[in-house]
Amino acid sequence: MTAAAMPVTDEQRSALERLAASTSSPHRQVMQARGLLLACDGVANEEIARRCGVDSDTVRRWRLRFAEQGITAVGRIAKGRGRKPSLPAGAVEEVLRLTHSERPLDGSTQWSTRTLAARVGIGKDSVAKIWADHGLKPWRVETFKVSNDPRFEEKLVDVVGLYMDPPTRAAVFCFDEKTQCQALDRTQPSLPMKPGRAGTMTHDYKRNGTIDLFAAMNVATGKVMTDLRKGHTGADVLRFFKQIDAAVPRDLDVHVILDNLSAHSTPEIAKWLAHKDRRRWNLHFTPTSSSWLNLIERWFKELTDKRLRRGAFSSVAELTAAITTWAEHWNRDPRPFVWKATADDIIAKVQRGRDTLRQIKSQTDH
């Protein structure tokens, strides 16, 4: 079926061919470009409509707009046409206001799409789209704690300085305890993974005792020294310090980053450090509520995620063996964690947090 070919320049035809072959342009634009190319070849409007899945009047409008406006009209929805907005005026602003400043009447801590939709009188999918468009996730909350240590900046600069500019002829360690590691066993056997189904494990468990893990990571090499004890008293900490001391060559200084736990500064530890043979030892304490500053915590996360969380242990001895084996494998190919945030950047971020907290407290007081 042929008709008079639609007049078109070589440049316009090339542009239509590019649009018709596009895999990223909107479907409407691609389809119109294909229909207009058929019109350029003299195909009748009815046949173009059949091939494009539209009616012949639509094809006529395509041709008319192209004749009047050229390639810029292809795929563009004419003013006054298309799907009309389904949300009442002010609905978006009301959803945002309620999300930020009010809670549901039943006292729930956050809105769901359904509760907020019922309040505003729109569909739940509309609420979800408004949240997505504005980057809001009311169902999520992140934890934080701004340190109130009066020496925060001083301790921060000290620790970050060790990470980013470590002293020469020295070994720098990040030390901490992972206390109360639980030997948990599942109440029923787990099912293995298979196509179409994840592996399973029971939500409940049996407790078979606990063990305390002492660990110190060499910041430069990533190697981790470990010791497992039934407690974490000053005597246990001193035993581990002696383990570190014995492992470091005598011609190197020892710098240890640790938190302010009372067991880390008992009289027996102070007496041991005061000995002339321990002049090479230097302790660097992280600010209070700032465990994130200690890189050994990052290693504890690796251990938890990859060995402990999904493990099943029928006894403390089995848990101890699992931790020891995992640490040994880590040390065969250790991966040091590289600290990148500068002290100035961290201080600025913490200051913003403090300012925000003061502002919130002031508003609450008033």
Side-chain angles (χ1 to χ4, degrees):
M1 191 179 298
T2 61
M6 184 179 71
V8 64
T9 65
D10 292 342
E11 183 180 354
Q12 288 175 325
R13 187 178 186 96
S14 296
L16 287 173
E17 289 173 346
R18 286 194 298 271
L19 282 176
S22 175
T23 58
S24 59
S25 298
H27 176 75
R28 180 193 308 108
Q29 196 173 35
V30 173
M31 188 56 62
Q32 287 190 26
R34 291 174 180 173
L36 290 170
L37 282 174
L38 292 172
C40 294
D41 295 336
V43 178
N45 291 343
E46 290 75 8
E47 178 62 16
I48 296 174
R50 188 187 66 79
R51 297 187 192 183
C52 294
V54 297
D55 58 50
S56 57
D57 287 339
T58 298
V59 177
R60 292 187 185 93
R61 286 194 294 270
W62 290 353
R63 297 181 64 152
L64 179 60
R65 283 202 301 271
F66 183 80
E68 293 175 347
Q69 304 173 36
I71 196 69
T72 58
V74 178
R76 193 176 66 196
I77 299 177
K79 187 175 181 180
R81 300 187 65 83
R83 187 166 141 187
K84 304 299 186 291
S86 58
L87 294 179
V92 173
E93 292 76 10
E94 182 66 2
V95 167
L96 296 178
R97 185 189 70 80
L98 290 170
T99 303
H100 284 295
S101 60
E102 291 190 20
R103 291 184 177 182
L105 295 177
D106 64 0
S108 298
T109 56
Q110 74 282 334
W111 296 97
S112 69
T113 55
R114 287 176 172 80
T115 57
L116 190 49
R119 172 71 178 272
V120 180
I122 60 177
K124 65 178 180 61
D125 292 338
S126 297
V127 173
K129 186 175 187 309
I130 294 171
W131 281 350
D133 290 343
H134 292 82
L136 298 176
K137 300 178 180 180
W139 60 90
R140 290 189 59 185
V141 63
E142 296 180 354
T143 58
F144 82 103
K145 178 68 179 290
V146 176
S147 174
N148 294 318
D149 193 323
R151 297 176 56 202
F152 175 81
E153 285 80 5
E154 174 190 341
K155 293 178 179 178
L156 173 74
V157 170
D158 180 38
V159 173
V160 173
L162 282 175
Y163 290 149
M164 306 193 76
D165 187 21
T168 58
R169 304 297 303 166
V172 179
F173 292 92
C174 292
F175 159 73
D176 202 1
E177 303 99 335
K178 184 175 177 62
T179 59
Q180 299 289 300
C181 298
Q182 298 189 73
L184 303 178
D185 197 4
R186 300 295 154 177
T187 57
Q188 296 174 357
S190 299
L191 297 177
M193 175 180 63
K194 71 176 186 179
R197 189 196 70 194
T200 68
M201 59 193 305
T202 59
H203 68 276
D204 57 345
Y205 44 79
K206 295 180 287 187
R207 294 182 175 92
N208 295 311
T210 63
I211 195 75
D212 290 346
L213 169 63
F214 292 74
M217 170 179 282
N218 187 311
V219 173
T221 66
K223 283 193 172 184
V224 179
M225 300 171 57
T226 61
D227 189 23
L228 290 144
R229 309 283 292 171
K230 293 183 178 180
H232 55 283
T233 64
D236 296 310
V237 175
L238 179 55
R239 172 191 169 101
F240 193 68
F241 278 4
K242 290 179 179 179
Q243 183 178 333
I244 296 174
D245 190 62
V248 178
R250 305 309 301 176
D251 60 333
L252 297 181
D253 288 341
V254 179
H255 293 263
V256 179
I257 298 167
L258 68 168
D259 63 25
N260 294 274
L261 187 69
S262 59
H264 297 166
S265 54
T266 60
E268 55 192 324
I269 293 177
K271 180 180 178 181
W272 182 79
L273 291 172
H275 193 278
K276 61 182 180 64
D277 290 343
R278 259 74 69 187
R279 291 173 183 169
R280 66 183 186 141
W281 271 69
N282 303 272
L283 300 186
H284 304 263
F285 292 97
T286 60
T288 56
S289 304
S290 301
S291 59
W292 48 267
L293 195 54
N294 194 331
L295 283 177
I296 193 61
E297 300 296 337
R298 181 65 182 81
W299 187 81
F300 284 154
K301 182 180 185 301
E302 290 284 310
L303 171 66
T304 301
D305 290 346
K306 296 181 178 179
R307 185 61 186 95
L308 301 184
R309 180 170 288 120
R310 291 170 59 176
F313 310 100
S314 60
S315 66
V316 171
E318 191 174 329
L319 172 63
T320 299
I323 294 174
T324 301
T325 300
W326 194 88
E328 289 173 350
H329 279 267
W330 172 276
N331 286 333
R332 291 177 189 174
D333 184 22
R335 176 168 59 92
F337 300 113
V338 180
W339 188 272
K340 296 182 179 180
T342 66
D344 288 341
D345 289 343
I346 298 172
I347 291 172
K349 185 174 182 179
V350 170
Q351 188 57 51
R352 290 195 298 271
R354 288 173 176 168
D355 292 342
T356 301
L357 288 175
R358 279 195 293 268
Q359 182 180 2
I360 294 173
K361 186 176 186 302
S362 176
Q363 293 172 351
T364 303
D365 292 342
H366 291 314

